[in-house]
Amino acid sequence: MNKQIEDILNRIYSSFEKKKELRLSNDDWFFGFETNLYDYENESVLKLYNKLQEIDKSIVEDINSLYYKSEKFNFYFFDCPSIVYEKCFNVRCNMFLKKYNEAREIDFIEIEINKHSSPSEYRILECNGEKLNYDKYIRKLDLNIQKSARNKLLFLNSLLDNTVDERTALVSLNIFKGKQGKLVFDKLLEDLPITLNEIDARGNQAKFISIWKNATSRALIFKPSIMFKDYIGYLNDTYGTNYATRSTSSGVKHEQSIDALLKGYQAGEI
């Protein structure tokens, strides 16, 4: 660890220890501070209050300093600059994947999003073997630190979108009979039509089901090993539907339309 970073962490640790000592020796007065029942006319209480204010000010200054030194020395902590967070992301993700061998990158991304969406308990600095939660100071910190939280979430959500797209593409490769099968499927969606921007519109589910139940379209589009549950899983993952494998939509009334469209495609209209 860089010496400047280490010095800052030691100062923060020392400040937390001072607060702890003051609390142990003035426990009754701390109750007043925590419940806003200050006895401002009591000189001893006022003196203690001023000491606490000085310590808190020192902690805020040191966390601000840690933030800026973090970028200089590429030091990761929960509220480090977003540029440091992004640089450290792959290393941290790989450590997570080694620890949990059944996990995937998307699991790590989702955990990170949850942490940065509700960060209070994760604002921890490890100093001299102790974990110090600095969340109570976050509103007093430099505005850049507060904005970096937003930038981290933007970065994570971008990664999540890309990961979902890659997963969907992988599923597509697994269920369709090559590029031609996917092309026929997409063309049927366009011509039936299935309104993807209104995916829950009446009739869409029946049309999706009819593509599967029509023997000709199924043979043209899907790999022979694909089962109905695989197809439904693809629809739910790709279009955000919530179809069950035991669908009540028969799709029969759309099969003639599909036959006519497929004949047109075979005649060179695709």
Side-chain angles (χ1 to χ4, degrees):
M1 182 185 296
N2 174 270
K3 183 66 166 58
Q4 293 183 44
I5 296 289
E6 188 175 3
D7 287 344
I8 295 171
L9 290 175
N10 283 332
R11 288 200 302 270
I12 294 172
Y13 173 80
S14 177
S15 295
F16 270 80
E17 285 296 297
K18 287 177 184 176
K19 287 194 72 171
K20 188 189 297 183
E21 290 170 9
L22 284 173
R23 181 176 191 119
L24 289 173
S25 57
N26 302 278
D27 199 46
D28 290 340
W29 288 343
F30 260 87
F31 175 78
F33 294 137
E34 291 170 350
T35 55
N36 206 29
L37 299 174
Y38 304 134
D39 182 0
Y40 290 105
E41 295 181 0
N42 187 313
E43 186 176 341
S44 297
V45 172
L46 187 58
K47 186 177 180 180
L48 176 60
Y49 174 76
N50 288 334
K51 279 185 180 179
L52 290 170
Q53 290 294 95
E54 288 176 12
I55 294 172
D56 282 347
K57 182 181 177 182
S58 175
I59 291 173
V60 168
E61 289 174 352
D62 283 329
I63 295 175
N64 281 333
S65 179
L66 182 65
Y67 173 84
Y68 288 103
K69 294 293 184 183
S70 168
E71 182 170 355
K72 182 177 180 180
F73 298 110
N74 201 41
F75 173 74
Y76 170 83
F77 72 104
F78 189 83
D79 284 293
C80 64
S82 56
I83 189 171
V84 175
Y85 181 85
E86 292 177 24
K87 286 179 181 177
C88 295
F89 180 84
N90 286 337
V91 172
R92 295 178 57 245
C93 182
N94 288 335
M95 290 172 63
F96 172 83
L97 296 178
K98 284 182 180 179
K99 185 175 181 180
Y100 304 101
N101 58 2
E102 291 293 335
R104 296 292 180 266
E105 182 183 8
I106 193 170
D107 300 315
F108 181 70
I109 294 169
E110 288 174 344
I111 288 171
E112 288 290 290
I113 288 174
N114 289 335
K115 285 182 177 180
H116 285 276
S117 298
S118 302
S120 299
E121 65 181 288
Y122 303 107
R123 288 195 159 108
I124 300 291
L125 291 173
E126 294 193 18
C127 311
N128 298 320
E130 290 198 27
K131 294 182 177 181
L132 310 175
N133 188 303
Y134 60 91
D135 182 68
K136 66 171 288 186
Y137 301 102
I138 199 68
R139 295 182 186 278
K140 299 178 182 178
L141 296 176
D142 190 295
L143 186 61
N144 277 329
I145 298 180
Q146 298 176 41
K147 288 186 177 296
S148 76
R150 175 202 61 191
N151 292 337
K152 291 183 185 83
L153 281 172
L154 289 173
F155 168 73
L156 288 165
N157 280 303
S158 173
L159 287 181
L160 183 63
D161 289 343
N162 291 337
T163 304
V164 170
D165 288 344
E166 288 171 8
R167 183 175 62 180
T168 300
L170 183 61
V171 173
S172 298
L173 290 174
N174 287 337
I175 75 166
F176 292 116
K177 190 181 281 185
K179 291 182 179 179
Q180 183 64 20
K182 181 66 164 62
L183 183 63
V184 173
F185 179 76
D186 289 341
K187 187 64 175 166
L188 282 174
L189 299 193
E190 180 183 340
D191 293 338
L192 277 171
I194 293 177
T195 49
L196 298 181
N197 60 334
E198 297 178 8
I199 198 64
D200 293 323
R202 185 179 179 85
N204 276 355
Q205 184 176 2
K207 292 174 184 177
F208 273 127
I209 300 303
S210 68
I211 293 173
W212 175 264
K213 290 195 171 182
N214 183 290
T216 306
S217 62
R218 184 162 62 186
L220 285 171
I221 294 171
F222 303 106
K223 291 180 179 178
S225 59
I226 295 305
M227 301 176 69
F228 181 60
K229 67 179 180 64
D230 301 319
Y231 175 52
I232 292 298
Y234 169 78
L235 296 179
N236 290 340
D237 282 346
T238 306
Y239 303 112
T241 53
N242 192 28
Y243 299 154
T245 52
R246 294 183 178 181
S247 172
T248 56
S249 297
S250 68
V252 172
K253 67 178 182 179
H254 299 290
E255 289 195 42
Q256 288 184 345
S257 299
I258 289 175
D259 284 331
L261 289 169
L262 291 175
K263 285 180 182 178
Y265 301 161
Q266 290 169 346
E269 294 178 13
I270 190 171

